[in-house]
Amino acid sequence: MDSSMFCWQCEQTVGGKGCTKVGVCSKDPDIAKMQDVLIYLLKGWGFYATKVLEKGDKISQEYGEFFTECTFSTLTNVNFHAERFVDYIKKANKIKKELMEKAGSIENAPKGADFFSPETRGEILNLPWVKNLGVMDDEDLDMDLRSLRELLIYGIKGMSAYHHHAYALGKYDEEVTNFMYKAFATTLDPDANMEKYFDLNMGLGKMNLQCMALLDAANTGAFGDPEPTEMLITKKKGPFIVISGHDLRDLGDLLEQTKGKGVNIYTHGEMLPCNAYPELKKHPHLIGNYGGAWQDQQTQFDGLPGAILMTSNCLMKPRDSYKDRIFTSSIVGFPDIQHIETVNGKKDFTPIINKALELGGFTEDEEERRIPMGFGRKALLSNADKIVGAVKEGQLKHFFLIGGCDGARPGRNYFTEFAEKTPKDTVILTLACGKYRFNKLDLGTVAGFPRILDCGQCNDAYTAIQVALALAEAFDCDVNKLPLSYIVSWYEQKAVAVLLTMLYLGLQDIYLGPSLPAFVSPNVLQTLVEKFNIKPVSTPDEDLKVILG
């Protein structure tokens, strides 16, 4: 490649082909190079970890968590801080060396397995060309193999986010990290063929289902099962903190540390579903939700008279108007932004609390408005008889799962228009930040249910899947025979992991948009179309006509 970087892992990549000068996400070539180096290191780590496991030894949970964190750090809109990547690379070098020694002498190790990175920023950025280091740095690789390889890597990145949130709440699964080691090791194997990569992608779908179940158990075990809730979406007078991202542990700790301090807490973006967890919403200063999806943050945070905490992916380059009041924690990083460190497993949110008090907050109450949310797995399944009865009686004709990762590229109004045009005797299940395209619309009710049922975060695709399987059992039919259609928006790598889970389960007729992944080659796309009947979205009218016959 002649360009200074190449990245095509998100939906908004330049021209639908790849970012080559600077990322649409604001990732610069230096960060892109460091992320490539880190992933290349992890591939070799995966190879030697797999050899250690084959000997019957175990890899420590500490190492598994760090591998997960490194992988998660390269997901879109997570970490833009060069020195943090230098630290990751240094530690990854050290652990990889230990694993090589533990694995012992290995004949015919693949090229790249024994790669070690320099450990200063300048040396890392001046690394000479290394074959297979970046996405396109193996120019003679078959494009379809490259496509399936990158599909696997991006799915692993997505799953690493779910695993990270799970073990933050005390739920760790070594099967997840062992699979990640194996998958990354395979990307160095010169003999890995299409069949092997396809099987690994399906294996990732299966493992991600297990990982989402783990995260579901972590979230509900810590904070109870989400329950239907009328959530405030307007402002209240007083100092406040807006918390964005996905990390329920951070929100729980922040709520405890702000008790009695006169600071209101608003969720933002994918944190919205937290307002339905009993052990979180019991705090009266968890006021409700502020703003919309992640891609609107620069406008919504512009000059905001409160403090902001970013807890996971979804960070955009902060504007100067709020750079002094935005904080990062955990995996998230950006130069010159205050970071809340984890010390002995705990975080002290005092700096962000003090900033909120200093800023003073909103000066008056807005006219109150609330929307329904909190339709998690338990809430929906407890109403399964009522739902089945409504279908059998003809009150409820069809279910639409409209959800996924949102983004800013034009064309995403498709999901708003689709929701608006769904018939009044249908229900919309929604999850992830894609919900912001229509979750404030008043579409009324059907059979006693709100027509929009918010199931939660992107990982709560697990909820939607469990509901679909329960309905299939209730109707004694294959899940693909249900009056249920999947309208999936994608932006980043967690959506890739969820899509692979849906494919692993054999779900058919998934409408995917607003554009197809650049990293999926024409031949791979054709295979997915033939095997799973994946459909690119067209127009709401045309797609509804096909779905409803």
mmCIF file of all heavy atoms in Angstrom, residues 353-384:
data_model
loop_
_atom_site.group_PDB
_atom_site.id
_atom_site.type_symbol
_atom_site.label_atom_id
_atom_site.label_comp_id
_atom_site.label_asym_id
_atom_site.label_seq_id
_atom_site.Cartn_x
_atom_site.Cartn_y
_atom_site.Cartn_z
ATOM 1 N N ILE A 353 -17.128 14.567 39.652
ATOM 2 C CA ILE A 353 -18.188 15.077 40.526
ATOM 3 C C ILE A 353 -17.944 16.558 40.834
ATOM 4 O O ILE A 353 -18.861 17.388 40.748
ATOM 5 C CB ILE A 353 -18.260 14.255 41.826
ATOM 6 C CG1 ILE A 353 -18.674 12.806 41.511
ATOM 7 C CG2 ILE A 353 -19.247 14.881 42.810
ATOM 8 C CD1 ILE A 353 -18.509 11.845 42.676
ATOM 9 N N ASN A 354 -16.705 16.891 41.147
ATOM 10 C CA ASN A 354 -16.366 18.297 41.436
ATOM 11 C C ASN A 354 -16.584 19.184 40.220
ATOM 12 O O ASN A 354 -17.032 20.340 40.346
ATOM 13 C CB ASN A 354 -14.917 18.401 41.912
ATOM 14 C CG ASN A 354 -14.725 17.827 43.311
ATOM 15 O OD1 ASN A 354 -15.684 17.672 44.065
ATOM 16 N ND2 ASN A 354 -13.485 17.497 43.654
ATOM 17 N N LYS A 355 -16.244 18.661 39.035
ATOM 18 C CA LYS A 355 -16.449 19.440 37.812
ATOM 19 C C LYS A 355 -17.937 19.708 37.586
ATOM 20 O O LYS A 355 -18.336 20.823 37.218
ATOM 21 C CB LYS A 355 -15.851 18.714 36.618
ATOM 22 C CG LYS A 355 -16.084 19.374 35.261
ATOM 23 C CD LYS A 355 -15.547 20.800 35.190
ATOM 24 C CE LYS A 355 -14.040 20.841 35.109
ATOM 25 N NZ LYS A 355 -13.568 22.230 34.818
ATOM 26 N N ALA A 356 -18.784 18.714 37.836
ATOM 27 C CA ALA A 356 -20.227 18.893 37.669
ATOM 28 C C ALA A 356 -20.755 19.965 38.618
ATOM 29 O O ALA A 356 -21.562 20.824 38.229
ATOM 30 C CB ALA A 356 -20.950 17.569 37.911
ATOM 31 N N LEU A 357 -20.294 19.928 39.860
ATOM 32 C CA LEU A 357 -20.729 20.931 40.851
ATOM 33 C C LEU A 357 -20.243 22.323 40.455
ATOM 34 O O LEU A 357 -20.972 23.324 40.595
ATOM 35 C CB LEU A 357 -20.209 20.539 42.228
ATOM 36 C CG LEU A 357 -20.853 19.294 42.858
ATOM 37 C CD1 LEU A 357 -20.069 18.841 44.082
ATOM 38 C CD2 LEU A 357 -22.317 19.567 43.223
ATOM 39 N N GLU A 358 -19.026 22.403 39.953
ATOM 40 C CA GLU A 358 -18.462 23.690 39.527
ATOM 41 C C GLU A 358 -19.251 24.299 38.370
ATOM 42 O O GLU A 358 -19.484 25.510 38.324
ATOM 43 C CB GLU A 358 -17.000 23.470 39.112
ATOM 44 C CG GLU A 358 -16.312 24.657 38.487
ATOM 45 C CD GLU A 358 -15.011 24.270 37.773
ATOM 46 O OE1 GLU A 358 -14.326 23.332 38.241
ATOM 47 O OE2 GLU A 358 -14.701 24.888 36.742
ATOM 48 N N LEU A 359 -19.681 23.450 37.421
ATOM 49 C CA LEU A 359 -20.379 23.946 36.236
ATOM 50 C C LEU A 359 -21.813 24.376 36.535
ATOM 51 O O LEU A 359 -22.386 25.203 35.818
ATOM 52 C CB LEU A 359 -20.368 22.870 35.143
ATOM 53 C CG LEU A 359 -18.992 22.598 34.529
ATOM 54 C CD1 LEU A 359 -19.011 21.302 33.724
ATOM 55 C CD2 LEU A 359 -18.549 23.758 33.637
ATOM 56 N N GLY A 360 -22.407 23.816 37.549
ATOM 57 C CA GLY A 360 -23.726 24.277 37.988
ATOM 58 C C GLY A 360 -24.919 23.595 37.353
ATOM 59 O O GLY A 360 -25.999 23.557 37.928
ATOM 60 N N GLY A 361 -24.762 23.103 36.116
ATOM 61 C CA GLY A 361 -25.837 22.347 35.484
ATOM 62 C C GLY A 361 -26.911 23.181 34.832
ATOM 63 O O GLY A 361 -26.744 24.385 34.568
ATOM 64 N N PHE A 362 -28.055 22.551 34.576
ATOM 65 C CA PHE A 362 -29.184 23.226 33.934
ATOM 66 C C PHE A 362 -29.824 24.204 34.920
ATOM 67 O O PHE A 362 -29.910 23.940 36.119
ATOM 68 C CB PHE A 362 -30.224 22.195 33.461
ATOM 69 C CG PHE A 362 -29.703 21.248 32.416
ATOM 70 C CD1 PHE A 362 -29.771 19.866 32.602
ATOM 71 C CD2 PHE A 362 -29.148 21.720 31.234
ATOM 72 C CE1 PHE A 362 -29.302 18.988 31.635
ATOM 73 C CE2 PHE A 362 -28.662 20.851 30.262
ATOM 74 C CZ PHE A 362 -28.739 19.482 30.469
ATOM 75 N N THR A 363 -30.288 25.316 34.408
ATOM 76 C CA THR A 363 -30.818 26.379 35.276
ATOM 77 C C THR A 363 -32.328 26.272 35.506
ATOM 78 O O THR A 363 -32.868 26.952 36.386
ATOM 79 C CB THR A 363 -30.514 27.760 34.668
ATOM 80 O OG1 THR A 363 -31.059 27.820 33.334
ATOM 81 C CG2 THR A 363 -29.017 28.003 34.627
ATOM 82 N N GLU A 364 -33.005 25.433 34.723
ATOM 83 C CA GLU A 364 -34.447 25.267 34.929
ATOM 84 C C GLU A 364 -34.904 23.918 34.397
ATOM 85 O O GLU A 364 -34.207 23.276 33.607
ATOM 86 C CB GLU A 364 -35.224 26.389 34.237
ATOM 87 C CG GLU A 364 -34.977 26.486 32.745
ATOM 88 C CD GLU A 364 -35.698 27.671 32.110
ATOM 89 O OE1 GLU A 364 -36.006 28.641 32.830
ATOM 90 O OE2 GLU A 364 -35.935 27.619 30.888
ATOM 91 N N ASP A 365 -36.074 23.498 34.867
ATOM 92 C CA ASP A 365 -36.663 22.244 34.400
ATOM 93 C C ASP A 365 -37.307 22.438 33.032
ATOM 94 O O ASP A 365 -37.891 23.493 32.755
ATOM 95 C CB ASP A 365 -37.751 21.757 35.368
ATOM 96 C CG ASP A 365 -37.197 21.338 36.718
ATOM 97 O OD1 ASP A 365 -35.966 21.122 36.810
ATOM 98 O OD2 ASP A 365 -37.992 21.219 37.672
ATOM 99 N N GLU A 366 -37.194 21.408 32.186
ATOM 100 C CA GLU A 366 -37.966 21.366 30.949
ATOM 101 C C GLU A 366 -39.322 20.738 31.232
ATOM 102 O O GLU A 366 -39.483 20.010 32.223
ATOM 103 C CB GLU A 366 -37.250 20.506 29.897
ATOM 104 C CG GLU A 366 -36.240 21.237 29.056
ATOM 105 C CD GLU A 366 -35.726 20.367 27.912
ATOM 106 O OE1 GLU A 366 -35.733 19.124 28.022
ATOM 107 O OE2 GLU A 366 -35.294 20.955 26.915
ATOM 108 N N GLU A 367 -40.285 21.004 30.365
ATOM 109 C CA GLU A 367 -41.564 20.309 30.487
ATOM 110 C C GLU A 367 -41.326 18.815 30.374
ATOM 111 O O GLU A 367 -40.661 18.343 29.431
ATOM 112 C CB GLU A 367 -42.525 20.781 29.394
ATOM 113 C CG GLU A 367 -43.900 20.146 29.497
ATOM 114 C CD GLU A 367 -44.868 20.658 28.441
ATOM 115 O OE1 GLU A 367 -44.502 21.624 27.720
ATOM 116 O OE2 GLU A 367 -45.960 20.089 28.332
ATOM 117 N N GLU A 368 -41.832 18.068 31.310
ATOM 118 C CA GLU A 368 -41.492 16.651 31.424
ATOM 119 C C GLU A 368 -42.065 15.814 30.288
ATOM 120 O O GLU A 368 -43.216 15.980 29.887
ATOM 121 C CB GLU A 368 -42.007 16.108 32.762
ATOM 122 C CG GLU A 368 -41.575 14.679 33.048
ATOM 123 C CD GLU A 368 -41.930 14.231 34.459
ATOM 124 O OE1 GLU A 368 -41.445 14.872 35.420
ATOM 125 O OE2 GLU A 368 -42.686 13.252 34.585
ATOM 126 N N ARG A 369 -41.201 14.909 29.783
ATOM 127 C CA ARG A 369 -41.653 13.927 28.792
ATOM 128 C C ARG A 369 -40.959 12.608 29.084
ATOM 129 O O ARG A 369 -39.763 12.583 29.397
ATOM 130 C CB ARG A 369 -41.328 14.390 27.365
ATOM 131 C CG ARG A 369 -41.916 13.436 26.323
ATOM 132 C CD ARG A 369 -41.511 13.775 24.905
ATOM 133 N NE ARG A 369 -41.912 12.696 24.007
ATOM 134 C CZ ARG A 369 -41.430 12.505 22.779
ATOM 135 N NH1 ARG A 369 -40.519 13.336 22.298
ATOM 136 N NH2 ARG A 369 -41.846 11.488 22.046
ATOM 137 N N ARG A 370 -41.708 11.522 28.967
ATOM 138 C CA ARG A 370 -41.158 10.186 29.220
ATOM 139 C C ARG A 370 -41.487 9.256 28.058
ATOM 140 O O ARG A 370 -42.466 9.468 27.341
ATOM 141 C CB ARG A 370 -41.722 9.603 30.528
ATOM 142 C CG ARG A 370 -41.305 10.395 31.763
ATOM 143 C CD ARG A 370 -41.919 9.853 33.052
ATOM 144 N NE ARG A 370 -41.510 10.662 34.199
ATOM 145 C CZ ARG A 370 -40.430 10.422 34.930
ATOM 146 N NH1 ARG A 370 -39.661 9.366 34.651
ATOM 147 N NH2 ARG A 370 -40.120 11.218 35.943
ATOM 148 N N ILE A 371 -40.643 8.227 27.892
ATOM 149 C CA ILE A 371 -40.902 7.197 26.889
ATOM 150 C C ILE A 371 -40.758 5.825 27.547
ATOM 151 O O ILE A 371 -40.003 5.660 28.506
ATOM 152 C CB ILE A 371 -39.953 7.301 25.669
ATOM 153 C CG1 ILE A 371 -38.484 7.143 26.097
ATOM 154 C CG2 ILE A 371 -40.164 8.614 24.922
ATOM 155 C CD1 ILE A 371 -37.509 7.066 24.920
ATOM 156 N N PRO A 372 -41.472 4.800 27.026
ATOM 157 C CA PRO A 372 -41.372 3.461 27.616
ATOM 158 C C PRO A 372 -40.091 2.751 27.172
ATOM 159 O O PRO A 372 -39.644 2.892 26.034
ATOM 160 C CB PRO A 372 -42.613 2.748 27.068
ATOM 161 C CG PRO A 372 -42.898 3.437 25.771
ATOM 162 C CD PRO A 372 -42.485 4.868 25.961
ATOM 163 N N MET A 373 -39.499 2.008 28.092
ATOM 164 C CA MET A 373 -38.331 1.198 27.773
ATOM 165 C C MET A 373 -38.215 0.105 28.834
ATOM 166 O O MET A 373 -39.064 -0.006 29.712
ATOM 167 C CB MET A 373 -37.056 2.047 27.692
ATOM 168 C CG MET A 373 -36.865 3.074 28.783
ATOM 169 S SD MET A 373 -36.236 2.447 30.356
ATOM 170 C CE MET A 373 -34.605 1.955 29.863
ATOM 171 N N GLY A 374 -37.202 -0.726 28.734
ATOM 172 C CA GLY A 374 -36.974 -1.744 29.743
ATOM 173 C C GLY A 374 -37.630 -3.086 29.459
ATOM 174 O O GLY A 374 -37.939 -3.832 30.390
ATOM 175 N N PHE A 375 -37.837 -3.420 28.188
ATOM 176 C CA PHE A 375 -38.479 -4.694 27.849
ATOM 177 C C PHE A 375 -37.417 -5.772 27.616
ATOM 178 O O PHE A 375 -37.174 -6.218 26.492
ATOM 179 C CB PHE A 375 -39.404 -4.518 26.643
ATOM 180 C CG PHE A 375 -40.537 -3.576 26.924
ATOM 181 C CD1 PHE A 375 -40.438 -2.224 26.623
ATOM 182 C CD2 PHE A 375 -41.685 -4.027 27.557
ATOM 183 C CE1 PHE A 375 -41.474 -1.344 26.917
ATOM 184 C CE2 PHE A 375 -42.721 -3.153 27.855
ATOM 185 C CZ PHE A 375 -42.618 -1.805 27.527
ATOM 186 N N GLY A 376 -36.763 -6.136 28.704
ATOM 187 C CA GLY A 376 -35.734 -7.163 28.652
ATOM 188 C C GLY A 376 -36.331 -8.553 28.508
ATOM 189 O O GLY A 376 -37.553 -8.729 28.413
ATOM 190 N N ARG A 377 -35.440 -9.534 28.517
ATOM 191 C CA ARG A 377 -35.853 -10.915 28.263
ATOM 192 C C ARG A 377 -36.918 -11.386 29.256
ATOM 193 O O ARG A 377 -37.949 -11.947 28.874
ATOM 194 C CB ARG A 377 -34.627 -11.838 28.330
ATOM 195 C CG ARG A 377 -34.924 -13.270 27.944
ATOM 196 C CD ARG A 377 -33.695 -14.142 28.038
ATOM 197 N NE ARG A 377 -33.365 -14.465 29.412
ATOM 198 C CZ ARG A 377 -32.417 -13.852 30.126
ATOM 199 N NH1 ARG A 377 -31.734 -12.869 29.584
ATOM 200 N NH2 ARG A 377 -32.169 -14.206 31.365
ATOM 201 N N LYS A 378 -36.685 -11.137 30.541
ATOM 202 C CA LYS A 378 -37.623 -11.622 31.558
ATOM 203 C C LYS A 378 -38.985 -10.953 31.411
ATOM 204 O O LYS A 378 -40.037 -11.602 31.520
ATOM 205 C CB LYS A 378 -37.060 -11.367 32.955
ATOM 206 C CG LYS A 378 -37.864 -12.014 34.065
ATOM 207 C CD LYS A 378 -37.166 -11.889 35.404
ATOM 208 C CE LYS A 378 -37.980 -12.560 36.511
ATOM 209 N NZ LYS A 378 -37.317 -12.467 37.831
ATOM 210 N N ALA A 379 -38.977 -9.637 31.154
ATOM 211 C CA ALA A 379 -40.233 -8.906 31.008
ATOM 212 C C ALA A 379 -41.033 -9.423 29.812
ATOM 213 O O ALA A 379 -42.261 -9.588 29.888
ATOM 214 C CB ALA A 379 -39.960 -7.413 30.850
ATOM 215 N N LEU A 380 -40.336 -9.691 28.696
ATOM 216 C CA LEU A 380 -41.032 -10.165 27.503
ATOM 217 C C LEU A 380 -41.503 -11.606 27.661
ATOM 218 O O LEU A 380 -42.641 -11.944 27.325
ATOM 219 C CB LEU A 380 -40.126 -10.028 26.279
ATOM 220 C CG LEU A 380 -39.882 -8.587 25.795
ATOM 221 C CD1 LEU A 380 -38.873 -8.567 24.659
ATOM 222 C CD2 LEU A 380 -41.187 -7.949 25.332
ATOM 223 N N LEU A 381 -40.630 -12.472 28.193
ATOM 224 C CA LEU A 381 -41.006 -13.875 28.313
ATOM 225 C C LEU A 381 -42.110 -14.079 29.348
ATOM 226 O O LEU A 381 -42.901 -15.023 29.242
ATOM 227 C CB LEU A 381 -39.781 -14.727 28.653
ATOM 228 C CG LEU A 381 -38.723 -14.818 27.538
ATOM 229 C CD1 LEU A 381 -37.557 -15.700 27.968
ATOM 230 C CD2 LEU A 381 -39.336 -15.342 26.246
ATOM 231 N N SER A 382 -42.182 -13.194 30.343
ATOM 232 C CA SER A 382 -43.266 -13.313 31.317
ATOM 233 C C SER A 382 -44.621 -12.985 30.686
ATOM 234 O O SER A 382 -45.678 -13.317 31.239
ATOM 235 C CB SER A 382 -43.013 -12.379 32.515
ATOM 236 O OG SER A 382 -43.102 -11.022 32.116
ATOM 237 N N ASN A 383 -44.582 -12.339 29.523
ATOM 238 C CA ASN A 383 -45.813 -12.028 28.781
ATOM 239 C C ASN A 383 -45.975 -12.886 27.529
ATOM 240 O O ASN A 383 -46.762 -12.549 26.648
ATOM 241 C CB ASN A 383 -45.812 -10.549 28.379
ATOM 242 C CG ASN A 383 -46.142 -9.625 29.539
ATOM 243 O OD1 ASN A 383 -47.291 -9.506 29.935
ATOM 244 N ND2 ASN A 383 -45.122 -8.986 30.087
ATOM 245 N N ALA A 384 -45.237 -13.995 27.479
ATOM 246 C CA ALA A 384 -45.252 -14.835 26.271
ATOM 247 C C ALA A 384 -46.656 -15.337 25.944
ATOM 248 O O ALA A 384 -47.073 -15.323 24.773
ATOM 249 C CB ALA A 384 -44.298 -16.009 26.444
#
